[in-house]
Amino acid sequence: MKRRLLNQLALLGAGALLSGVVHAQSDKPISLVVGYSAGGSADLVARVVGTELSRRLGRQVIVENVAGASGMIAAQKVLNAPADGNVIYMGGTDTVLVPMVNPKSRLDWEKDLLPVGRMTTVPLVFAVPSGSPYASLSDLVGALRKSGKESFNYATPGVATMQHIYGALINKQAKVEMLHIPYRGGAQIANDLVGGQVDSAVLVLSTAMPFLKDGKIKALSVSDGARVAQLPNVKRIGEEEGFNGISLPLWQGLFVKSGTSPAIVAAYEKALVEALAQPDVRAKLADAGISVAPMTGREMRAFIGPQATLYRDIVKTAKITME
């Protein structure tokens, strides 16, 4: 059997063989499980990328929205399915972070899931009202250290969100005590920031940009490892003194259940890389403030490792829990 497989590789080429493995695997559609409701940014990524995956795999990829528990219900749906590649999980930051803050979560991504590849990153923006006296994160940190002010607050969409982690990172590294104001979702935060109901907020780039363009708020830092093209003069967090090259983006990628055939994983990885290289895919996601940031499965695993260590350190220091 092994010799025959090697002969096939030599005759047909690895790409054609991998495509054939997936096509022959089943006639039924592939389910791409997303842990959030239709209409959001995660759903957009899944549908744009899923369409391209369908073309390359020769099988229909159907997006299945399974909202709840910060993506954990969706993850369990994947874990309850056979390890045959017919169910793919679109995970990301929450896949790694939520089990750290919620002891009831039964997900261990390193044991339970196999990374297929990273797809996208979304920069987070730390912002203040336009009338704020602070022009940079360094200005703010310096003022808070000098005054010992503990009433200064930052708003986020909720406890244990990546936005919360970003604010807690600033507290930890800068040794300041900004007060966390958790909202139930992010819809109202930018308006309250403009109105002065909160001192600062952590926003996703797509939410922040209209207010930044109108001059209603100011960006003091971004969370990515590189400066954001739309905000070239705003420092990334890793450029600030005391943050030592740190980056903390929201990210999304594809996983399958552990035990899935390496040939199937390789076929999905190849199709994903090709899909993310398409100009129209990049343009659609860029319009939504989402950056295509492809990685292979191996590269994605190497990326997650240091990020997980950073999340764990912040969670421990800030005593963040979802209980």
Side-chain angles (χ1 to χ4, degrees):
M1 177 64 74
K2 186 179 293 185
R3 181 175 298 173
R4 182 168 28 170
L5 179 60
L6 291 173
N7 288 337
Q8 286 177 311
L9 284 169
L11 291 172
L12 301 176
L17 179 59
L18 292 174
S19 177
V21 167
V22 174
H23 189 67
Q25 174 192 358
S26 174
D27 291 330
K28 71 178 184 179
I30 297 169
S31 179
L32 175 51
V33 181
V34 181
Y36 297 90
S37 302
S41 60
D43 179 67
L44 172 65
V45 173
R47 293 182 188 278
V48 171
V49 175
T51 298
E52 291 295 328
L53 290 177
S54 295
R55 293 172 182 164
R56 283 159 179 78
L57 295 173
R59 292 173 59 193
Q60 188 178 12
V61 175
I62 297 178
V63 175
E64 185 177 355
N65 299 97
V66 184
S70 300
M72 294 299 101
I73 296 177
Q76 288 302 321
K77 183 177 180 66
V78 176
L79 298 187
N80 291 336
D84 56 11
N86 287 325
V87 181
I88 308 174
Y89 172 55
M90 184 174 139
T93 307
D94 288 342
T95 307
V96 181
L97 175 60
V98 171
M100 296 180 184
V101 297
N102 184 359
K104 295 180 181 178
S105 172
R106 294 174 292 164
L107 178 67
D108 181 338
W109 78 269
E110 291 186 278
K111 294 179 180 178
D112 298 334
L113 299 169
L114 292 174
V116 173
R118 193 178 75 173
M119 297 187 293
T120 60
T121 59
V122 178
L124 299 175
V125 178
F126 187 88
V128 293
S130 58
S132 171
Y134 311 115
S136 68
L137 185 60
S138 294
D139 287 348
L140 171 60
V141 166
L144 293 181
R145 285 173 176 168
K146 185 175 181 180
S147 66
K149 189 176 181 181
E150 295 186 1
S151 60
F152 189 91
N153 59 55
Y154 70 99
T156 77
V159 173
T161 58
M162 201 59 178
Q163 290 89 328
H164 182 191
I165 295 296
Y166 192 29
L169 168 68
I170 294 173
N171 276 344
K172 173 182 176 297
Q173 295 296 120
K175 294 180 173 56
V176 294
E177 293 290 340
M178 297 185 298
L179 177 66
H180 179 222
I181 306 295
Y183 280 57
R184 290 188 175 181
Q188 187 59 32
I189 294 176
N191 288 321
D192 283 0
L193 181 63
V194 172
Q197 279 87 2
V198 292
D199 298 321
S200 65
V202 183
L203 307 168
V204 295
L205 180 65
S206 58
T207 299
M209 281 309 300
F211 296 92
L212 291 167
K213 287 179 179 179
D214 290 345
K216 294 179 178 179
I217 64 175
K218 295 188 293 187
L220 302 190
S221 74
V222 294
S223 70
D224 263 19
R227 290 203 182 190
V228 174
Q230 297 93 323
L231 303 170
N233 297 320
V234 179
K235 286 185 178 181
R236 54 186 175 83
I237 190 69
E239 293 180 88
E240 296 286 357
E241 183 180 353
F243 289 85
N244 306 317
I246 289 171
S247 65
L248 205 70
L250 280 168
W251 57 270
Q252 294 166 323
L254 295 185
F255 298 85
V256 291
K257 184 177 178 179
S258 289
T260 301
S261 161
I264 293 173
V265 177
Y268 287 175
E269 178 183 89
K270 179 177 182 293
L272 180 61
V273 170
E274 291 175 354
L276 294 174
Q278 302 307 304
D280 59 332
V281 169
R282 290 175 172 267
K284 288 175 183 176
L285 296 180
D287 287 344
I290 300 168
S291 301
V292 172
M295 285 183 174
T296 65
R298 180 176 294 181
E299 290 168 340
M300 181 177 166
R301 184 179 289 277
F303 161 78
I304 295 175
Q307 286 285 293
T309 299
L310 181 58
Y311 303 164
R312 191 174 291 108
D313 192 23
I314 296 168
V315 165
K316 182 179 179 180
T317 300
K319 298 179 181 178
I320 298 172
T321 178
M322 293 180 70
E323 284 191 305

